[in-house]
Amino acid sequence: MSRIGKLPIHLPKGVDIKIDGNIITVKGPKGELKQEINPNISVKVDNGVCTVERPNDERQLRAMHGLYRALINNMVVGVSEGYKKTLELVGVGYRANANGQVLELSLGYTHAIYLGLAPEIKVQTVSERNQNPLIILESCDKQLLGQVCAKIRSFRMPEPYKGKGVKFQGEYIRRKAGKTAGK
């Protein structure tokens, strides 16, 4: 039996789960999320507790059991509390500016990078003197938030020699020694 799939999902106040065939809709104070699930996996909600069950111990169904339980749990946490990620720009002249749902990045290229964000994501930039600029992203959808963070990070990955690039706040970049002087 899947240890993750067996765990019940406790629904906080204000969170509502609707099951329509194989589409699950989770509604809460921070938003609404939908997820399509495999028809063989059954989801039951009673007395503020959601459980995910499978009909047999087939290998594919065992894998999906834990997966869908985790996805539903992420949706419940997202619509009740939300998710937040902070990116840090490390490098001379690296800047970020948010204009509505458009993020403008200056990352040492000859041109600025403009990234349009989905309406579900709230973006905020912080630039303080003698501090690295920060990009703060918030959303109720964990998958979308992670995807956007990965996209922003891909514009200038942190490099191991000087540590310059876009990194998550608190992330440790393993540093390498540079070239040594000739003999």
Side-chain angles (χ1 to χ4, degrees):
M1 193 85 182
S2 168
R3 283 184 257 176
I4 298 291
K6 280 195 298 190
L7 297 173
I9 301 167
H10 299 285
L11 303 177
K13 275 192 173 177
V15 175
D16 211 29
I17 291 185
K18 237 191 281 179
I19 303 163
D20 183 32
N22 61 341
I23 294 177
I24 294 180
T25 307
V26 181
K27 214 181 249 188
K30 298 254 181 187
E32 179 181 338
L33 295 171
K34 290 184 182 187
Q35 177 68 45
E36 186 176 343
I37 64 167
N38 189 306
N40 293 330
I41 302 290
S42 63
V43 178
K44 295 180 181 140
V45 180
D46 42 291
N47 296 336
V49 176
C50 178
T51 54
V52 180
E53 295 171 355
R54 64 175 190 254
N56 56 39
D57 280 345
E58 231 177 273
R59 185 176 178 88
Q60 186 72 20
L61 290 177
R62 282 188 315 209
M64 287 183 197
H65 187 208
L67 167 76
Y68 287 125
R69 190 263 174 207
L71 289 175
I72 294 168
N73 188 53
N74 287 345
M75 289 164 49
V76 169
V77 171
V79 298
S80 61
E81 300 167 23
Y83 291 101
K84 181 178 181 180
K85 291 204 180 205
T86 305
L87 296 168
E88 189 175 350
L89 306 178
V90 181
V92 177
Y94 287 13
R95 285 188 300 276
N97 191 13
N99 298 324
Q101 289 301 101
V102 177
L103 184 64
E104 179 186 353
L105 299 167
S106 297
L107 299 175
Y109 296 115
T110 58
H111 59 281
I113 299 169
Y114 295 94
L115 180 68
L117 300 173
E120 296 90 25
I121 294 184
K122 293 180 189 135
V123 64
Q124 178 186 358
T125 56
V126 178
S127 296
E128 292 180 14
R129 193 175 173 123
N130 297 328
Q131 296 286 327
N132 291 329
L134 299 176
I135 302 170
I136 302 165
L137 299 164
E138 292 183 60
S139 179
C140 62
D141 192 345
K142 187 176 186 179
Q143 181 182 354
L144 179 66
L145 184 66
Q147 218 170 2
V148 169
C149 287
K151 181 68 176 171
I152 294 170
R153 190 180 147 101
S154 73
F155 292 133
R156 184 70 89 176
M157 293 288 286
E159 51 99 13
Y161 296 103
K162 292 183 179 176
K164 292 169 59 172
V166 180
K167 65 175 193 149
F168 290 103
Q169 192 174 34
E171 178 184 8
Y172 175 74
I173 306 296
R174 285 183 53 196
R175 304 294 291 272
K176 288 183 176 180
K179 287 194 247 180
T180 57
K183 293 182 182 184

